[in-house]
């Protein structure tokens, strides 16, 4: 079983196991460090959603940096079990783990988040399916992180703020316009 490292915040340097699930790819340390430098290191009071949680790397980084609520949504039961173990081991009471379909979860959400992470399986059309629901998931002025197999210039009317590429990973930080 491979491992990932929390790169910042209260759980900095903690090593966490990664579920053995085909296609599961943790967001690289370098990318996480860059994204949280862009956002600022302190997410105190933020509500975050990691919609395709997988390893939970992005959501757990947000919780480590002070987010008051982090919802991790994952479909694979093996990955969900590992995420639940992490939450318990870290004493992360602000983190909720939800097993289910990302589209159904997104359609049922009744609150807006300050930051939404989208890192769906590549080449499956997930971003197009989630796009109509982003306005309901993300508060005006909120941040949207998108990781994909190709650069994403725009999504759901959010403005591209920063982007980068490491290996096969194209990552973008976008912001929903304030109303």
């Amino acid at each position: 079983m491979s491992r990932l490292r929390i790169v910042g915040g209260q759980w900095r340097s903690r090593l966490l196991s990664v579920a053995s699930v085909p296609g599961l790819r943790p967001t690289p340390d370098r990318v996480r460090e860059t994204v949280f430098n862009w956002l600022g290191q302190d997410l105190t009071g933020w509500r975050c959603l990691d919609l395709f949680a997988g390893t939970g790397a992005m959501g757990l980084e947000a919780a480590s940096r002070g987010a008051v609520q982090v919802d991790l949504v994952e479909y694979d039961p093996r990955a969900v079990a590992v995420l639940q173990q992490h939450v318990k081991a870290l004493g992360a009471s602000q983190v909720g783990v939800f097993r289910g379909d990302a589209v159904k979860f997104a359609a049922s959400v009744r609150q807006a988040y300050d930051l939404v992470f989208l890192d769906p399986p590549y080449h499956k059309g997930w971003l197009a399916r989630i796009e109509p629901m982003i306005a309901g998931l993300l508060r005006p002025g909120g941040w949207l992180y998108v990781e994909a197999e190709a650069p994403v210039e725009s999504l759901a009317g959010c403005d591209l703020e920063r982007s980068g590429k490491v290996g096969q990973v194209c990552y973008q930080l976008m912001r929903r316009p304030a109303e």
Side-chain angles (χ1 to χ4, degrees):
M1 187 176 278
S2 64
R3 299 173 77 71
L4 71 89
R5 178 180 64 90
I6 301 291
V7 297
Q10 68 176 339
W11 303 317
R12 183 183 179 144
S13 299
R14 289 285 299 264
L15 291 173
L16 302 173
S17 57
V18 173
S20 183
V21 175
L24 196 63
R25 46 182 171 64
T27 300
D29 290 7
R30 183 171 150 201
V31 172
R32 283 184 278 130
E33 190 167 12
T34 298
V35 170
F36 284 96
N37 282 338
W38 291 345
L39 289 167
Q41 297 296 322
D42 185 5
L43 302 186
T44 299
W46 289 32
R47 291 188 326 272
C48 305
L49 172 63
D50 193 344
L51 196 53
F52 297 86
T55 65
M58 296 303 281
L60 292 171
E61 284 287 350
S64 182
R65 296 160 192 267
V68 70
Q69 176 187 350
V70 178
D71 293 336
L72 305 176
V73 180
E74 175 55 40
Y75 186 77
D76 189 280
R78 295 164 293 183
V80 168
V82 172
L83 291 171
Q84 290 169 332
Q85 291 170 3
H86 295 335
V87 168
K88 185 176 180 182
L90 294 169
S93 60
Q94 76 275 42
V95 178
V97 178
F98 301 89
R99 180 175 185 264
D101 178 85
V103 173
K104 289 179 183 174
F105 185 92
S108 72
V109 167
R110 298 290 175 245
Q111 69 168 319
Y113 293 90
D114 300 295
L115 173 59
V116 174
F117 300 104
L118 295 179
D119 180 11
Y122 291 172
H123 308 290
K124 306 256 188 224
W126 284 106
L127 290 178
R129 283 182 261 174
I130 291 295
E131 186 171 17
M133 291 164 239
I134 291 174
L137 294 174
L138 192 61
R139 71 164 177 79
W143 294 96
L144 178 66
Y145 170 80
V146 180
E147 197 170 305
E149 65 275 12
V152 177
E153 297 297 320
S154 66
L155 194 67
C158 294
D159 299 320
L160 181 64
E161 297 279 331
R162 307 286 291 265
S163 64
K165 183 174 182 185
V166 173
Q168 301 297 317
V169 177
C170 295
Y171 57 100
Q172 294 79 202
L173 186 61
M174 302 177 180
R175 193 158 201 187
R176 182 176 172 192
E179 294 180 343

